């Protein structure tokens, strides 16, 4: 056993001649344990290989998703140009350049946008640097004609490449044909099918280096990546990125889905899998402990030894065990005297981490290494001394010899060394973990800022879009007042109705974005609940139109009608719920109910209910009915329209006003949506709303 005051190991005087025959069995058992170590070591390596493979597949999946998302984002732009040309087939170069510039936006990956009328490039944006491509006849370029022919034959968007461009450089080219509806007097052009007339095609050139630069972060993570193409018929193409040898074996491969075709991505880890250091050391430590346990057990077979020599032998074995564990531990270990508060012993790891020589640190007080002024160690150690079986963990700060500070976690327990009550500190360096926690907090704050910026941008953009849309609707209304033919009037009404639907979507997006961005303010003004319910009922009557549906309004439980709150948002929630009720009710009754109760604080808690006799909602769909972009039936959007934001906005507005919202429903019998809002105590008593019927 080591002397806590000096750290020296006491020698044992063993005078008994060793009996080697007694050690035959333990030696054989130790050999067996050593043999058992080999399959365990192999198992650790296999586990490490499996974990590395899982990591590789996850990283390849992330890379695939990044490539697919980027290409679909960039290729989507060409469809916007196509739509404009279909609407204006005689578009000029200047008009094309303005449209292409607006649609391409700030897409840094797009080199140029071109249109080829009658399969000859006639329009180009930007022209600078792409002059050589203007006038190119696709039929005279076999390298590009096959992809053009395929796009025309299949009437679909085709991504081709890498392709050598006539204006120089290599790029991916996204092409989509433009077919115009054949009209009387039109002669169908070559390549058109059915009743369509081939105008030509529009293409977007995407810089190869910009797309392939997406792979760089994964290369930096330690992956070797290779990519090759597949055409629309599944034939393998050439490897255009990385080492082609990766596709010959040993690498994991994943398909990359592209517009009308696919790529294949292969990857391996640059560094072979190795078991973790902790696992290896744990296995070896287990082997060492097993061997020590064998030695300890069989040491008792020396019954012929005298009590003194046996005690000496046990002391020596115990000391060796203690010293082996003490010195081989990965964490710093201190032995502390709770009375003198001094460091009596420590392992080499402890001295190295603090930067001291052993003689410099031995017998120093706790304050010599502790830099935390709030660390009341004496009080804690005294409480441990009162309960010998107790243990504790605490985080504090240690000071190194060079003055640097180190965050540590101390696991402390009460031990007895040669009859002395001492404390054992196991000190773990927490610097890296603390840095990771700070980095995580910073990343979370950055993500929250990004989310807020997104919502703010969306709210502003929705407002900017709504302004010109109101102009479109206003002009449509003015046109309807002119002397139009029946065909013209029908078309103008179609424009107005489509605009109304789009404006409703924009209003939902604007409100929801304002809620998320924290820009939606709740008013606090006096208003009359009777007037509000009448207006909502009038709105519902207009929405019903020719349906066999009646509106029933009742406020039998109203205590007062003059309240203080936000009438605009109350009406918005009610009209949304009434609109939904009208939408899903073909016949029967839509009820609007109001009831109130006064709380002890003088607040009027008002409950609004909107019930219908419509199709109802299944129980399993009720849980997410108020979530954004959620609708009870997936076919609802196609049949009735809507964004799936209406009920989410209702919930947000209700909660902003300090209330709550809910629903009860029975499939086939109808639904009842309710919400509660607290108002300040009413000013005018004895007012009630009579039941009204409309329909």
């Amino acid at each position: 056993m080591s002397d806590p005051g000096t750290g020296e190991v006491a020698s044992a005087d063993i005078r008994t001649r060793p009996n080697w025959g007694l050690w035959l069995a333990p030696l054989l058992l130790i050999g067996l344990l050593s043999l058992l170590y080999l399959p365990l070591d192999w198992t650790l390596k296999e586990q490490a290989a499996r974990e590395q493979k899982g990591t590789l597949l996850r990283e390849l999946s992330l890379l695939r998703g990044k490539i697919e998302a980027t290409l679909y984002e960039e290729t989507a732009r060409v469809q916007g140009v196509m739509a404009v040309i279909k609407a204006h087939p005689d578009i000029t170069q200047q008009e094309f350049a303005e449209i292409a510039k607006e649609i391409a936006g700030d897409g840094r990956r797009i080199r140029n946008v071109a249109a080829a009328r009658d399969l000859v490039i006639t329009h180009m944006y930007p022209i600078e640097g792409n002059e050589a491509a203007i006038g190119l006849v696709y039929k005279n370029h076999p390298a590009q004609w096959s992809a053009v022919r395929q796009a025309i034959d299949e009437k679909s968007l085709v991504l081709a490449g890498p392709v050598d461009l006539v204006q120089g450089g290599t790029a991916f080219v996204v092409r989509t044909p433009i077919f115009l509806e054949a009209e009387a007097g039109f002669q169908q052009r070559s390549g058109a099918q059915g009743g369509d007339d081939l105008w030509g095609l529009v293409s977007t050139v995407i810089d190869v280096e910009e797309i392939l630069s997406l792979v760089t972060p994964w290369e930096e993570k330690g992956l070797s990546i290779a990519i090759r193409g597949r055409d629309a018929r599944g034939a393998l193409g050439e490897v255009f990125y990385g080492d082609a040898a990766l596709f010959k074996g040993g690498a994991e491969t994943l398909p990359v889905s592209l517009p009308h075709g696919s790529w294949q991505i292969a990857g391996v880890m640059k560094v072979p899998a190795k078991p973790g250091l902790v696992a290896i050391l744990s296995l070896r430590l287990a082997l060492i402990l097993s061997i020590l346990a064998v030695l300890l057990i069989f040491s008792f077979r020396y019954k012929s030894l005298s009590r003194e020599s046996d005690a000496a032998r046990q002391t020596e074995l115990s000391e060796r065990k203690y010293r082996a564990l003490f010195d081989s531990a990965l964490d710093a270990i201190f032995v502390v005297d709770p009375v003198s508060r001094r460091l009596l012993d420590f392992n080499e790891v402890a001295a190295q981490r603090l930067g001291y020589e052993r003689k410099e640190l031995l017998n120093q007080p706790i304050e010599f290494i502790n830099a935390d002024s709030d660390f009341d160690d004496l009080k804690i150690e005294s409480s441990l001394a009162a309960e010998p079986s107790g243990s504790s963990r605490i985080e504090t700060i240690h000071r190194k010899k060079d003055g640097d500070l180190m965050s540590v976690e101390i696991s402390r327990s009460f031990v007895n060394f040669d009859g002395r009550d001492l404390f054992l500190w196991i000190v773990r360096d927490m610097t890296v973990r603390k840095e990771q926690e700070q980095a995580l907090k910073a990343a979370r704050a950055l993500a929250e800022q990004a989310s807020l910026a997104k919502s703010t941008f969306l709210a502003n953009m929705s407002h900017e879009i709504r302004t010109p849309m109101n102009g479109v609707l206003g002009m449509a209304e003015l046109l309807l007042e002119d002397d139009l033919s029946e065909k013209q009037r029908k078309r103008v009404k179609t424009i107005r109705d489509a605009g109304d639907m789009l404006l409703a979507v924009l209003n939902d997006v604007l409100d929801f974005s304002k809620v998320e961005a924290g820009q939606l303010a709740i008013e606090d003004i006096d208003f009359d609940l009777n007037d509000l319910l009448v207006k909502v009922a009038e709105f519902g009557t207009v929405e019903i139109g020719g349906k066999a549906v009646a509106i029933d309004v009742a406020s039998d439980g109203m205590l007062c009608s003059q309240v203080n709150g936000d009438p605009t948002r109350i009406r918005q929630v009610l009209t949304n719920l009434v609109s939904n009720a009208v939408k899903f009710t073909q016949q029967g009754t839509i009820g609007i109910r109001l009831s109130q109760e006064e709380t002890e604080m003088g607040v009027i808690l008002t409950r609004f209910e909107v019930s219908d006799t419509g199709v109802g909602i299944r129980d399993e769909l009720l849980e997410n009915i108020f979530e954004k972009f959620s609708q009870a039936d997936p076919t609802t959007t196609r049949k009735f329209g809507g964004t799936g934001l209406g009920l989410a906005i209702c919930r947000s507005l209700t909660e902003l006003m300090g209330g709550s919202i809910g629903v009860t429903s029975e499939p086939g019998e109808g639904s009842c949506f309710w919400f509660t809002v607290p108002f300040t105590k009413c000013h005018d008593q004895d007012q009630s709303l009579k039941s009204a019927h409309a329909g």
Side-chain angles (χ1 to χ4, degrees):
M1 183 65 193
S2 64
D3 184 352
T6 63
E8 299 297 329
V9 179
S11 62
D13 182 12
I14 303 177
R15 300 180 178 85
T16 305
R17 184 177 62 183
N19 185 349
W20 298 109
L22 294 175
W23 290 98
L24 180 60
L27 290 175
L28 291 175
L29 185 55
I30 291 172
L32 180 62
L33 290 173
S34 299
L35 291 176
L36 182 62
Y37 172 82
L38 297 177
L40 291 176
D41 182 65
W42 178 85
T43 302
L44 286 176
K45 292 179 179 178
E46 283 295 306
Q47 181 181 359
R50 288 194 299 270
E51 292 175 352
Q52 187 183 63
K53 181 179 179 180
T55 301
L56 174 61
L57 289 174
R58 285 194 300 272
E59 294 297 334
L60 288 179
S61 297
L62 291 173
L63 174 58
R64 174 178 64 182
K66 182 68 174 179
I67 293 176
E68 289 177 350
T70 301
L71 287 175
Y72 274 96
E73 176 186 353
E74 300 296 346
T75 56
R77 303 176 191 272
V78 74
Q79 295 176 324
V81 180
M82 178 192 70
V84 173
I85 294 179
K86 288 187 71 174
H88 304 284
D90 294 323
I91 188 171
T92 65
Q93 166 61 30
Q94 182 178 355
E95 293 171 338
F96 176 84
E98 292 175 355
I99 296 300
K101 180 179 180 181
E102 180 179 353
I103 292 180
D106 60 349
R108 59 184 178 84
R109 299 182 178 90
I110 293 182
R111 176 170 175 174
N112 64 268
V113 181
R117 186 164 190 172
D118 296 327
L119 305 183
V120 178
I121 295 180
T122 55
H123 300 71
M124 177 70 68
Y125 173 80
I127 296 178
E128 182 178 358
N130 298 290
E131 295 87 353
I134 299 177
L136 181 142
V137 181
Y138 279 117
K139 291 184 178 180
N140 297 337
H141 288 266
Q144 300 191 35
W145 174 245
S146 61
V148 173
R149 184 77 251 178
Q150 182 180 357
I152 296 173
D153 291 343
E154 298 181 8
K155 290 187 175 182
S156 66
L157 185 147
V158 173
L159 172 67
V163 176
D164 293 327
L165 304 175
V166 297
Q167 62 267 43
T170 304
F172 299 107
V173 183
V174 183
R175 300 184 179 90
T176 184
I178 301 175
F179 292 95
L180 306 177
E181 294 183 1
E183 299 181 1
F186 262 63
Q187 181 173 353
Q188 191 170 341
R189 304 182 187 179
S190 173
Q193 300 178 7
D196 296 334
D197 182 72
L198 176 64
W199 183 91
L201 56 83
V202 62
S203 61
T204 299
V205 177
I206 304 174
D207 189 77
V208 170
E209 293 300 325
E210 287 292 338
I211 296 299
L212 296 184
S213 66
L214 299 173
V215 184
T216 302
W218 275 266
E219 294 276 10
E220 294 174 351
K221 290 182 179 180
L223 277 69
S224 292
I225 305 291
I227 306 175
R228 64 180 175 187
R230 281 180 180 267
D231 61 23
R233 299 173 180 83
L236 291 173
E238 295 182 355
V239 177
F240 57 85
Y241 181 87
D243 187 359
L246 293 181
F247 289 100
K248 297 179 180 179
E252 298 295 332
T253 60
L254 290 178
V256 180
S257 176
L258 304 173
H260 207 80
S262 67
W263 290 348
Q264 192 178 39
I265 183 172
V268 295
M269 288 292 188
K270 296 178 181 178
V271 180
K274 293 182 180 180
L277 179 61
V278 174
I280 294 176
L281 291 178
S282 298
L283 180 59
R284 293 177 180 176
L285 182 59
L287 178 62
I288 293 174
L289 292 176
S290 299
I291 293 174
L292 289 174
V294 170
L295 294 175
L296 184 60
I297 292 172
F298 280 92
S299 66
F300 289 103
R301 298 188 62 185
Y302 286 95
K303 296 181 180 179
S304 61
L305 295 177
S306 64
R307 182 177 300 177
E308 293 79 7
S309 61
D310 186 62
R313 185 184 302 277
Q314 294 303 321
T315 300
E316 182 182 24
L317 290 175
S318 179
E319 173 60 30
R320 290 175 182 174
K321 178 181 177 181
Y322 158 75
R323 184 51 62 179
L325 294 174
F326 197 72
D327 291 336
S328 64
L330 297 178
D331 291 324
I333 301 178
F334 293 89
V335 178
V336 181
D337 186 348
V339 178
S340 64
R341 295 171 52 85
R342 293 186 176 274
L343 307 175
L344 302 184
D345 199 4
F346 45 85
N347 60 359
E348 189 63 24
V349 174
Q352 290 177 354
R353 286 186 180 174
L354 294 173
Y356 288 102
E357 296 291 337
R358 182 175 181 81
K359 61 182 180 180
E360 295 177 314
L361 195 56
L362 196 62
N363 287 321
Q364 292 290 349
I366 295 173
E367 292 77 13
F368 186 74
I369 61 173
N370 185 39
D372 188 353
S373 59
D374 296 330
F375 179 63
D376 190 358
D377 192 74
L378 180 59
K379 179 179 179 181
I380 297 175
E381 302 296 358
S382 299
S383 65
L384 284 176
E387 187 178 353
S389 61
S391 62
S392 67
R393 292 178 182 270
I394 190 169
E395 293 185 6
T396 184
I397 301 174
H398 280 179
R399 182 188 299 104
K400 299 181 181 180
K401 183 178 180 179
D402 58 9
D404 289 345
L405 301 180
M406 175 175 59
S407 296
V408 297
E409 180 186 66
I410 302 177
S411 177
R412 302 174 299 182
S413 58
F414 178 87
V415 293
N416 186 280
F417 285 97
D418 290 339
R420 297 180 61 183
D421 294 335
L422 303 176
F423 292 97
L424 187 69
W425 283 8
I426 299 178
V427 182
R428 180 164 298 173
D429 188 354
M430 303 295 290
T431 304
V432 175
R433 194 180 80 175
K434 291 294 184 181
E435 292 175 351
Q436 292 173 345
E437 290 176 353
Q438 293 298 324
L440 182 61
K441 291 180 180 178
R444 183 183 296 112
L446 185 61
E448 292 173 352
Q449 292 176 0
S451 177
L452 180 60
K454 177 204 71 175
S455 299
T456 303
F457 170 78
L458 189 57
N460 293 334
M461 287 304 299
S462 297
H463 179 75
E464 293 299 325
I465 297 173
R466 189 170 63 175
T467 300
M469 181 53 64
N470 286 326
V472 172
L473 293 175
M475 293 304 298
E477 291 292 343
L478 292 176
L479 279 174
L480 288 174
E481 296 177 1
D482 291 342
D483 187 12
L484 303 177
S485 66
E486 186 63 27
K487 184 176 182 180
Q488 290 172 330
R489 183 171 298 277
K490 183 177 180 181
R491 289 178 176 176
V492 173
K493 285 183 177 180
T494 301
I495 293 174
R496 182 194 62 186
D497 294 343
D500 286 336
M501 293 174 63
L502 180 57
L503 186 60
V505 171
L506 291 174
N507 287 335
D508 283 350
V509 173
L510 178 60
D511 286 341
F512 192 78
S513 301
K514 283 185 175 181
V515 171
E516 282 199 331
Q519 297 180 357
L520 191 65
I522 299 299
E523 293 184 323
D524 191 17
I525 61 177
D526 293 337
F527 68 98
D528 193 320
L529 285 172
N530 287 329
D531 293 342
L532 186 143
L533 291 179
V534 169
K535 292 178 182 178
V536 172
E538 292 174 349
F539 165 81
T541 302
V542 174
E543 287 284 294
I544 288 173
K547 290 184 179 181
V549 179
I551 297 289
D552 180 21
V553 182
S555 59
D556 298 336
M558 180 182 291
L559 300 179
C560 64
S561 65
Q562 297 293 328
V563 294
N564 187 272
D566 191 331
T568 301
R569 298 307 174 188
I570 295 293
R571 181 177 178 182
Q572 182 177 354
V573 176
L574 280 173
T575 54
N576 198 315
L577 297 180
V578 170
S579 178
N580 281 348
V582 172
K583 184 187 301 182
F584 296 103
T585 303
Q586 300 305 316
Q587 61 181 4
T589 303
I590 295 175
I592 304 175
R593 300 285 185 272
L594 181 148
S595 61
Q596 294 177 328
E597 64 178 31
E598 185 174 357
T599 66
E600 295 179 356
M601 302 299 295
V603 174
I604 302 300
L605 184 62
T606 304
R607 179 184 176 96
F608 300 88
E609 294 183 1
V610 177
S611 60
D612 62 66
T613 57
V615 296
I617 306 170
R618 299 194 305 273
D619 290 342
E620 63 270 19
L621 301 176
L622 291 176
E623 182 178 354
N624 298 321
I625 194 69
F626 293 102
E627 297 296 330
K628 57 185 177 182
F629 308 113
S630 173
Q631 293 193 341
D633 189 339
T635 63
T636 298
T637 301
R638 296 192 297 271
K639 186 175 181 181
F640 298 104
T643 62
L645 289 175
L647 291 179
I649 294 173
C650 288
R651 184 178 69 175
S652 298
L653 292 176
T654 304
E655 292 175 351
L656 283 174
M657 291 184 290
S660 59
I661 190 169
V663 60
T664 58
S665 183
E666 189 70 29
E669 296 185 8
S671 304
C672 177
F673 284 84
W674 59 266
F675 67 96
T676 61
V677 178
F679 297 121
T680 55
K681 193 171 182 179
C682 55
H683 304 294
D684 195 5
Q685 302 290 337
D686 301 327
Q687 297 191 35
S688 61
L689 179 68
K690 305 297 183 180
S691 297
H693 298 274

